[in-house]
Amino acid sequence: MKLLITGGAGFIGSNFIRYWLNKYPDDKIVNLDVLTYAGNLENLRDVEGNKNYKFVKGDICDADLVDKLVKDIDLIVHFAAESHVDRSIQNSEDFIKTNVEGTRVLLDAAKNNGGIRFHHISTDEVFGALSLNSDPFNENTPYNPRSPYSASKAASDHLVRAYFHTHKLPITISNCTNNYGPFQFPEKLIPLFATNLMEGKKVPVYGEGGNIRDWIYVDDHNAGVDAVVKKGKIGETYCLGGENEITNLEITKNILNLMGKGEEMIEYVSDRKGHDFRYAMDITKAKKELGWEPKLKFEEGLKKTVGWYKNNEDWWRKIKTGEYMKYYKKQYNENNK
Ligand code: NAD
Ligand code: TYD
């Protein structure tokens, strides 16, 4: 099988490529990524030499390029997105371009080239926010996005479903909860806090830290995507999650513990605008229909992840100083002139 992965030099996509090439070594992967601030070829140094792996630097909004690339593709797994809520609050322009228009371009290329199997990666955030006592989201929860990020992802989900109903494009969608693990960009809670502590900096907890997220280890998410792609029913959506709800303050205390630091390193800062209170996912459908469930316990996964950031200072320090943008992208562009 030959796969087109979009956004494969970002956090989840790079872990997916590594996962897939290990599990299905005969499959071929083309990784299309424009390398925004979040894309980093360092994430895939270990697979760069694999003869079944090819990187293409390009934009998913570039219809001519996408149309050429999908010619001999059997499966598209679409990760590419602007992914950070705080950035979408500052400026939502790129979120609409990439998440909505980029998805439309990919769908048209899949449709116009014989109806290529298309899996769309989405988020629990499209369902809105839960209160403390409400039931977790499931596949039938009405959409109610509340940030520009989640609104753009919701729009892309709707488009993907519309191409199934209108054009019979063979699609599936997975909506997953908060991921964590190696190679996550240090603007997200877990890597930001772990790396700040290594730099001797405080950790900025929004509001009082009472917001709740459901965390899943990135390989468990990717195993779920694998299950949907192989066993999912065409046209269907599957909710994936870690069954692991925890407040931001509890996570922060766990990270402080793992780093041997005290609570004086917490800095309570102004809350995020429109901060969704709680996300949680009911994953019964994926368990029943796909035989999938998350495996790694949060305590173990968090320890492993914090350990990874401790052992890979070179990776995140280059990001935090901005050196990775100057050096790696320049080098790549020169090598590929
Ligand atoms: P990320 O920001 O780490 O990576 C996104 C990648 O997409 C980057 O490599 C970037 O360069 C690339 N990209 C952005 N715009 C592009 C464009 N126009 N053309 C080509 N490539 C482009 O994101 P992530 O955390 O790995 O998330 C991947 C996907 O998973 C996203 O669709 C996101 O909505 C979804 N998701 C993420 C989480 C999470 O907790 N991180 C949870 C659920 C779903
Ligand atoms: P984040 O990792 O940005 O993921 P998302 O907003 O997509 O869930 O944030 C996770 C939670 O942590 C969210 O409730 C916001 C909070 N948070 C902080 O308290 N401080 C921070 O510096 C960041 C980045 C997030």
Side-chain angles (χ1 to χ4, degrees):
M1 190 150 76
K2 187 165 178 185
L3 289 76
L4 176 69
I5 306 299
T6 69
F11 164 47
I12 307 176
S14 63
N15 278 291
F16 181 81
I17 289 174
R18 185 172 298 105
Y19 166 99
W20 197 274
L21 287 173
N22 276 331
K23 190 159 174 197
Y24 308 107
D26 294 333
D27 282 357
K28 291 187 172 30
I29 287 187
V30 176
N31 173 15
L32 172 64
D33 196 303
V34 78
L35 299 180
T36 66
Y37 80 93
N40 185 354
L41 292 175
E42 274 293 278
N43 298 358
L44 285 170
R45 276 286 177 254
D46 54 330
V47 303
E48 228 166 46
N50 186 318
K51 64 175 179 10
N52 286 335
Y53 169 75
K54 187 180 160 202
F55 175 71
V56 176
K57 185 175 188 309
D59 195 326
I60 58 166
C61 299
D62 180 344
D64 291 341
L65 172 67
V66 170
D67 193 67
K68 270 187 214 126
L69 283 179
V70 301
K71 291 289 178 221
D72 58 346
I73 292 292
D74 307 300
L75 164 68
I76 299 171
V77 186
H78 174 34
F79 292 90
E82 286 295 332
S83 69
H84 193 46
V85 173
D86 292 321
R87 288 182 190 256
S88 81
I89 295 170
Q90 295 302 319
N91 184 348
S92 61
E93 194 179 337
D94 288 347
F95 289 75
I96 305 305
K97 273 192 200 142
T98 288
N99 301 1
V100 186
E101 170 66 1
T103 301
R104 198 275 304 160
V105 167
L106 287 163
L107 287 166
D108 274 337
K111 168 176 82 70
N112 295 336
N113 286 278
I116 300 167
R117 175 80 174 84
F118 190 98
H119 181 70
H120 179 60
I121 304 291
S122 193
T123 164
D124 57 355
E125 303 190 25
V126 297
F127 298 121
L130 295 167
S131 61
L132 205 52
N133 298 319
S134 39
D135 290 337
F137 305 128
N138 64 38
E139 289 78 4
N140 299 317
T141 305
Y143 273 45
N144 185 21
R146 295 154 39 103
S147 75
Y149 163 67
S150 54
S152 67
K153 291 296 291 187
S156 67
D157 292 11
H158 291 319
L159 266 178
V160 174
R161 273 188 209 103
Y163 274 64
F164 167 68
H165 290 292
T166 310
H167 300 295
K168 306 281 174 279
L169 191 70
I171 66 96
T172 41
I173 300 178
S174 52
N175 293 82
C176 190
T177 60
N178 285 57
N179 283 223
Y180 69 99
F183 299 106
Q184 186 166 31
F185 198 84
E187 65 183 351
K188 300 270 164 75
L189 181 79
I190 292 175
L192 178 72
F193 284 16
T195 58
N196 269 14
L197 293 170
M198 280 185 258
E199 292 178 302
K201 293 185 191 157
K202 292 194 170 191
V203 297
V205 170
Y206 296 164
E208 293 174 4
N211 298 63
I212 295 167
R213 297 289 183 266
D214 169 6
W215 294 87
I216 183 169
Y217 192 70
V218 63
D219 286 346
D220 277 334
H221 176 194
N222 284 331
V225 174
D226 180 3
V228 177
V229 162
K230 299 271 173 173
K231 300 180 203 159
K233 205 172 145 213
I234 297 302
E236 296 275 310
T237 292
Y238 295 86
C239 286
L240 307 176
E243 294 189 316
N244 174 62
E245 289 185 55
I246 177 165
T247 66
N248 293 340
L249 194 55
E250 281 172 84
I251 292 200
T252 305
K253 288 181 183 169
N254 287 341
I255 298 173
L256 287 168
N257 260 335
L258 287 168
M259 297 296 300
K261 305 278 183 187
E263 289 183 27
E264 70 284 356
M265 294 307 282
I266 297 178
E267 185 179 6
Y268 291 95
V269 298
S270 327
D271 210 350
R272 173 185 279 172
K273 282 188 190 173
H275 197 172
D276 286 344
F277 176 63
R278 172 178 165 235
Y279 305 138
M281 206 63 122
D282 177 346
I283 58 171
T284 308
K285 178 179 176 183
K287 279 184 178 174
K288 271 198 190 146
E289 293 185 17
L290 310 173
W292 167 87
E293 63 183 355
K295 291 214 163 69
L296 196 62
K297 290 218 163 20
F298 185 66
E299 306 79 66
E300 241 176 278
L302 188 66
K303 197 169 162 200
K304 190 167 159 178
T305 301
V306 169
W308 187 87
Y309 284 90
K310 280 188 188 163
N311 292 330
N312 288 277
E313 279 203 26
D314 195 45
W315 180 86
W316 61 260
R317 281 195 190 275
K318 278 184 191 140
I319 292 177
K320 279 193 146 179
T321 58
E323 192 191 333
Y324 80 111
M325 294 281 261
K326 281 185 241 138
Y327 177 67
Y328 291 108
K329 289 176 190 180
K330 186 165 167 280
Q331 186 191 47
Y332 183 82
N333 289 337
E334 277 168 9
N335 289 344
N336 288 278
K337 259 182 194 158

